[in-house]
Amino acid sequence: MEAQSNIAGERLGPSFVCFLIWTFVVLARPQDFVTLLAPFRPVLLICFVTMAMMFLERVAVPANMFRLSEVRLVLLLYLIMLVGIPFAVHRGVAFRFLTSVMPATLLYFLVGIVQLRSVRRLNMTMATIALSLVFSASIYIMESVAHQGFRGVASGMYDPNDIAMLFATLIPLCLYVLFAGHGRVIRTLSVVATCLAAAGIMMSRSRGGVLALVVVIVFFFLGSVPRIRGAAKIAVVVMLAFVFINYFSMVQGRFQNMAQDYNLNDENGRINLWKQNLVIVGENPVLGVGADCSAVALGLLRAHEGGTQTWLTPHSSVLQVAVETGIPGLAIFVILNILAMRNLRRVCRDRDHPLSRLAFFMELSFYGFWTGGLLLSHGYSVHLYLLLGISAAVRHLYVYPAISTSLAGSKKEEREEHATSNI
């Protein structure tokens, strides 16, 4: 507890501010809506600026960071992807993905663990996530209203199913902000973000998103939240239930006549896609078809069988990783996520620890992500690696509190020595 009070007065350098901006850019994606930003490639720009600031500040990488199971398993999964490049069905696609897209995600994951070395920094990051959600949910709701009667796309990157799943993933983190001891403005921001995201899920008409929202509400209500009164929990559940019921008419039709749903009967429905991708896994069980090559592999399979050669993703994050990295990669991926949630649960059980409440809401975010992630191809989503990075940071701060707060502690010792010498 003394270490936590010491760290409350730590100096937040420019590199951490850049990391917060980086978080906002990757989550809210303002470059998708402000055309003037796109040519500057904001994600790449803020990535380089953050790294430069860390170099100038001489931010040290904690030696114990690479003992964390999340870090080791993520790097091992990436190594398997690299080994699979020569055996990919399209080596160019795999090479480009693993030298441009995936490194940026991994860098954000690792930088997050380095930067999130105190409860204060974690709380500020959660507040930034809430701000990002207000931005993206507001724009999506306006887009949905403008295209009333149709399922509006969120951006060039996310369709309605994607954005609904991502909203469900971030809602628990906004709820954490509500109870994290922030000022009135930040708490109000978290409530607005939560309500807008819940409304956005309903307006997306995404069945997976609606199911993810229900899972979040139910587990929050039934779970034992550290240091939160029952009345506060009921108030949150009532708020989310009100939004759910108020907008349910918009998505109700999507749950009717489920026996005739295209996912069950259509050639491009999920059931048929999953069957065909399981065939691909059976033919490439060791290293898979190459990172980001699942759509190519499906097109080639269909062409070989004489079907329609469409380029579709597996529509399942687990199946996506299995197809692209083989059974070994899938095993590592599953263990990675299970260990992250198990570590969070261990922290949550220490109910008097300052991190226990965050650990509960982080686990809830994993439930939201994976409820939708089982039906969508987000195995390499930056949102998943955001959760994994925060999980690793929480675990590191919990296991190595003295190391995480050594800077603040050393400063306190210097002040005490100075005071003693004056006496």
Side-chain angles (χ1 to χ4, degrees):
M1 295 299 292
E2 182 182 357
Q4 296 300 335
S5 62
N6 290 340
I7 204 68
E10 69 171 327
R11 176 180 174 271
L12 303 176
S15 67
F16 179 67
V17 175
C18 289
F19 173 74
L20 294 181
I21 297 173
W22 192 356
T23 299
F24 179 83
V25 170
V26 298
L27 296 183
R29 296 195 62 81
Q31 63 273 23
D32 291 347
F33 309 101
V34 182
T35 55
L36 293 177
L37 293 177
F40 295 98
R41 302 187 67 182
V43 176
L44 185 61
L45 178 62
I46 193 61
C47 171
F48 279 121
V49 172
T50 303
M51 297 303 297
M53 290 297 102
M54 291 178 66
F55 176 77
L56 294 175
E57 290 180 29
R58 298 182 180 179
V59 176
V61 176
N64 294 285
M65 185 178 83
F66 292 96
R67 296 182 183 179
L68 297 170
S69 57
E70 290 91 343
V71 175
R72 290 183 173 182
L73 290 172
V74 165
L75 295 179
L76 181 57
L77 180 62
Y78 183 62
L79 177 61
I80 289 177
M81 294 181 193
L82 290 175
V83 172
I85 291 178
F87 309 97
V89 295
H90 195 302
R91 290 188 289 272
V93 170
F95 180 80
R96 283 192 297 272
F97 178 78
L98 293 174
T99 55
S100 58
V101 179
M102 198 62 189
T105 302
L106 292 179
L107 191 59
Y108 179 75
F109 165 78
L110 295 172
V111 169
I113 299 173
V114 174
Q115 288 288 347
L116 300 177
R117 58 177 182 266
S118 71
V119 175
R120 184 188 179 195
R121 291 183 175 224
L122 283 164
N123 288 344
M124 292 182 69
T125 302
M126 296 301 117
T128 303
I129 291 172
L131 178 62
S132 304
L133 195 54
V134 168
F135 179 89
S136 57
S138 298
I139 291 181
Y140 182 70
I141 288 175
M142 289 188 292
E143 181 74 15
S144 298
V145 171
H147 296 82
Q148 194 169 7
F150 299 92
R151 302 181 67 196
V153 295
S155 66
M157 187 170 212
Y158 299 131
D159 69 11
N161 293 321
D162 297 326
I163 201 67
M165 184 200 73
L166 300 180
F167 286 168
T169 300
L170 299 181
I171 282 177
L173 303 185
C174 291
L175 293 178
Y176 168 76
V177 173
L178 178 62
F179 299 106
H182 289 286
R184 184 175 300 176
V185 174
I186 301 299
R187 292 202 303 271
T188 302
L189 178 74
S190 69
V191 172
V192 172
T194 301
C195 292
L196 288 176
I201 290 172
M202 305 306 291
M203 295 177 75
S204 73
R205 298 176 174 85
S206 169
R207 287 171 294 194
V210 171
L211 182 59
L213 178 60
V214 170
V215 167
V216 167
I217 295 174
V218 170
F219 274 87
F220 174 74
F221 179 70
L222 298 179
S224 179
V225 189
R227 296 177 291 122
I228 292 182
R229 295 178 180 177
K233 179 194 288 190
I234 292 174
V236 170
V237 172
V238 169
M239 177 182 69
L240 289 172
F242 175 79
V243 176
F244 182 90
I245 295 171
N246 190 52
Y247 286 93
F248 184 71
S249 59
M250 301 187 69
V251 73
Q252 184 176 4
R254 296 267 294 158
F255 288 93
Q256 297 173 350
N257 300 320
M258 291 291 291
Q260 304 301 321
D261 188 75
Y262 82 98
N263 282 307
L264 301 177
N265 308 308
D266 192 84
E267 180 187 8
N268 294 331
R270 281 181 171 81
I271 297 300
N272 191 48
L273 288 177
W274 292 345
K275 290 178 179 179
Q276 291 178 323
N277 277 280
L278 285 174
V279 172
I280 297 174
V281 173
E283 294 176 351
N284 304 270
V286 180
L287 291 173
V289 299
D292 202 37
C293 291
S294 55
V296 178
L298 179 63
L300 295 176
L301 175 68
R302 288 188 167 190
H304 178 72
E305 294 180 347
T308 304
Q309 189 176 4
T310 50
W311 312 93
L312 299 172
T313 61
H315 283 284
S316 170
S317 298
V318 172
L319 196 54
Q320 176 191 15
V321 174
V323 169
E324 297 181 1
T325 65
I327 301 302
L330 174 63
I332 292 170
F333 184 72
V334 171
I335 293 171
L336 166 65
N337 283 272
I338 291 176
L339 279 180
M341 288 185 280
R342 189 188 70 173
N343 290 338
L344 288 170
R345 185 166 295 183
R346 286 178 177 175
V347 177
C348 186
R349 288 180 185 142
D350 190 355
R351 301 182 67 84
D352 294 328
H353 196 279
L355 291 168
S356 60
R357 188 160 50 194
L358 175 58
F360 172 85
F361 285 103
M362 280 296 304
E363 185 179 356
L364 204 57
S365 283
F366 271 104
Y367 294 158
F369 177 89
W370 278 113
T371 301
L374 292 175
L375 304 172
L376 298 170
S377 301
H378 279 268
Y380 314 121
S381 168
V382 69
H383 296 78
L384 174 59
Y385 284 84
L386 167 70
L387 297 183
L388 292 170
I390 297 175
S391 170
V394 168
R395 180 66 175 166
H396 186 265
L397 188 58
Y398 181 77
V399 176
Y400 307 108
I403 296 175
S404 302
T405 59
S406 59
L407 179 59
S410 63
K411 289 183 177 179
K412 182 182 179 184
E413 291 174 1
E414 290 175 3
R415 290 195 299 268
E416 291 176 347
E417 291 177 0
H418 180 67
T420 305
S421 62
N422 289 338
I423 295 173

